[in-house]
Amino acid sequence: MNKAYIRRFARNLLLLPLIMLVACGPTPSSTTSIDAEVPATYTRNGASSFSTLTVAFCADPASWFLNGKGDFVGFEYDLLKSFSEEVQMTLKPTASVNIDDLFRKLKSAQTSVSAGLYRPMSIDENDKIIWTDPYYSVETLVVYNTNLRRPKNWEQITGDTVAYLKNPGMESLVAELAKEYPGIRWKPVSAPSSDALLAQVDNGTYPYALVTAHRADLARNIYFSFATAFTTGYEVEMAWALPDNKTYLRNVLNEYIARSKENGLIDSLVDRYFNHPQQVDRNDAGIFQTRIREDLPEFKDIFKSAQEMTGVEWRLLAAIAYQESRWDPLARSETGVRGFMQITLDTARHLGLDEADRFDAERSVHAAAVYLQMIKDRLPEEIVEPDRTWVTLAAYNIGLGHIEDAQRLARKKGLSPYLWKDIRKMLPLLARAEYYQSARHGYARGGMPVAFVDRVRAYYDILLRHEPHHEHLQLHVKNTEASKV
């Protein structure tokens, strides 16, 4: 990209606020901690600020993983992070390679809490382990390799092997199932995650596996040769395990779990991580993975360069570009949008792009990245991640003005104007006369940004599993509004 273009690009950023209402059709966080946990008085308003909450975990997309910026996120991580902030402790994660490693750390008191576990149906008082109250229950099911005929019940797999991830709750469930169906051959697997077990069903190592429904759903567009056979009728309960000398911490965690159920925090995290719709079917996901292997290498440096320039994560940009153009720099739409990122002519002009630039992959990606960051910067600070990214995507698709109309409508209906799950409910209403006639920015095809965000999220999830995080030194253009991104 030549210097004259960069100067022109930066100059035109000053005009971006004028068009923001127009539709345009994870290294882990470092914390200071000490090596040994300091016993303290655990109250809602604070333990000693020098206390450390050491948590052993196995990386898993259902509970604890790195996001696009290289930061820890996940259902259990967010829950424990909120707890540690509430009691003013430093959260110190320690990774485990599998369940056996995790329990070695737990029983040798190398960790205060172990995450990613299911609570056993009965507690062994001599096990040197204590458990918190359960905070979430999940359905269990049997999956099968799709090269086999789908079984409809246990009787149809009598004599076959069913693998399961070693975990106290799963082992309790298997003990019960073995009494009911003695003909099943059970195989405990000490894999690092449920993903690893599902991969072994996918490649035919095991014909069947006992898994939880939410973990199977998260892997459905990653591995294509497994499917659900039938549900078991049983649930397992998620809970945290602690050394038996941590009763004081267990009691405080139980109080926190009770509050989190009552105040809606757990429901909110379940909705955030497990309930977003899958708008990409498995056939599309399979094609996308082929395109990742065959086509993405040509554009990868462009996306990474845009991340270095703006801070917008490169895999998110790649997901947007695939949804917009299927990574085709010459793509055209009947609605007037053009090129790799499907930028409208008006938006392109304000970004300093001419007609030919819209068909230039590098320039259109850089322009779109800056535009996305400018939108995100204008959102209310009350919208926090990851909702902030999803709202930004919706505004990129339909315009910030219509997002603000949806926020106002959410307030009127007693919903939160700062949560994507509530904003996405309001957007489709803006296509109905009883709503858009009183909306400040009028009619909007509000279902479009909802579908757009859902599909980009699905592609992004796949990219997060396949492509590594890009470390970068973020660049800034001095003396312009671009220095904000």
Side-chain angles (χ1 to χ4, degrees), residues 92-253:
K92 183 180 180 181
T94 174
S96 302
V97 295
N98 55 35
I99 193 73
D100 292 331
D101 182 39
L102 187 147
F103 268 90
R104 279 194 296 269
K105 291 174 179 176
L106 182 63
K107 291 184 177 182
S108 61
Q110 295 179 45
T111 182
S112 304
V113 178
S114 287
L117 299 174
Y118 302 121
R119 180 185 168 109
M121 295 180 180
S122 60
I123 307 297
D124 184 353
E125 299 295 338
N126 298 317
D127 200 24
K128 296 185 178 180
I129 292 173
I130 56 177
W131 292 84
T132 66
D133 295 335
Y135 51 87
Y136 185 55
S137 297
V138 286
E139 182 183 34
T140 59
L141 47 82
V142 172
V143 297
Y144 72 105
N145 181 285
T146 52
N147 291 318
L148 304 172
R149 184 175 181 178
R150 177 186 176 184
K152 297 180 180 179
N153 51 51
W154 291 108
E155 286 74 16
Q156 293 183 1
I157 57 174
T158 297
D160 287 318
T161 298
V162 178
Y164 64 94
L165 195 66
K166 288 181 67 176
N167 197 303
M170 278 296 187
E171 290 169 345
S172 290
L173 175 57
V174 166
E176 291 297 314
L177 291 170
K179 297 175 185 177
E180 296 182 47
Y181 309 102
I184 304 298
R185 299 165 57 189
W186 296 99
K187 175 65 176 178
V189 178
S190 186
S193 69
S194 56
D195 255 23
L197 175 58
L198 289 165
Q200 290 177 298
V201 176
D202 182 79
N203 66 24
T205 300
Y206 301 113
Y208 310 103
L210 175 67
V211 298
T212 56
H214 71 310
R215 282 180 156 89
D217 189 57
L218 290 171
R220 64 184 290 274
N221 282 346
I222 305 300
Y223 306 109
F224 304 111
S225 294
F226 85 88
T228 298
F230 55 88
T231 60
T232 70
Y234 287 91
E235 292 185 340
V236 289
E237 297 176 324
M238 298 177 69
W240 294 310
L242 301 83
D244 61 0
N245 65 347
K246 301 288 186 183
T247 54
Y248 57 95
L249 178 56
R250 189 268 309 273
N251 294 339
V252 177
L253 281 167

Side-chain angles (χ1 to χ4, degrees), residues 217-218 270-279 390 420 424 453-459 461:
D217 189 57
L218 290 171
V270 168
D271 187 82
R272 173 180 296 176
Y273 288 107
F274 304 144
N275 289 347
H276 68 271
Q278 293 281 358
Q279 289 290 338
W390 313 141
W420 169 240
R424 77 186 305 278
V453 173
D454 289 344
R455 292 184 67 84
V456 169
R457 285 183 70 174
Y459 293 134
D461 285 344

Side-chain angles (χ1 to χ4, degrees), residues 52-73:
T52 299
L53 182 66
T54 307
V55 179
F57 71 96
C58 294
D60 187 295
S63 60
W64 203 297
F65 58 96
L66 295 177
N67 68 4
K69 294 183 177 180
D71 298 323
F72 280 129
V73 292

Side-chain angles (χ1 to χ4, degrees), residues 317-456:
L317 291 170
I320 296 169
Y322 187 79
Q323 169 59 23
E324 294 284 38
S325 70
R326 294 302 187 266
W327 294 334
D328 177 7
L330 302 180
R332 296 174 180 267
S333 167
E334 296 177 357
T335 61
V337 291
R338 297 286 186 270
F340 202 61
M341 302 300 286
Q342 294 287 282
I343 297 174
T344 65
L345 183 58
D346 285 345
T347 302
R349 287 170 177 165
H350 285 291
L351 288 168
L353 302 177
D354 57 29
E355 179 67 18
D357 289 334
R358 287 200 287 171
F359 297 102
D360 182 291
E362 182 177 13
R363 294 186 176 186
S364 63
V365 168
H366 279 249
V370 172
Y371 186 54
L372 282 162
Q373 191 59 48
M374 293 290 286
I375 293 173
K376 181 177 282 191
D377 288 345
R378 292 196 58 178
L379 295 178
E381 63 180 15
E382 291 87 352
I383 302 178
V384 299
E385 293 292 358
D387 298 62
R388 195 171 187 86
T389 293
W390 313 141
V391 175
T392 297
L393 290 177
Y396 177 87
N397 180 260
I398 200 172
L400 189 55
H402 294 306
I403 299 300
E404 291 170 347
D405 282 343
Q407 289 179 290
R408 282 187 281 269
L409 188 55
R411 284 192 185 93
K412 290 180 181 179
K413 291 185 174 292
L415 301 176
S416 172
Y418 307 124
L419 295 177
W420 169 240
K421 71 181 183 68
D422 290 339
I423 295 172
R424 77 186 305 278
K425 292 175 185 176
M426 298 298 100
L427 279 166
L429 300 181
L430 297 177
R432 292 165 51 179
E434 63 265 38
Y435 294 104
Y436 72 70
Q437 286 178 351
S438 60
R440 187 172 300 176
H441 298 280
Y443 171 83
R445 295 174 65 185
M448 291 179 60
V450 172
F452 175 79
V453 173
D454 289 344
R455 292 184 67 84
V456 169

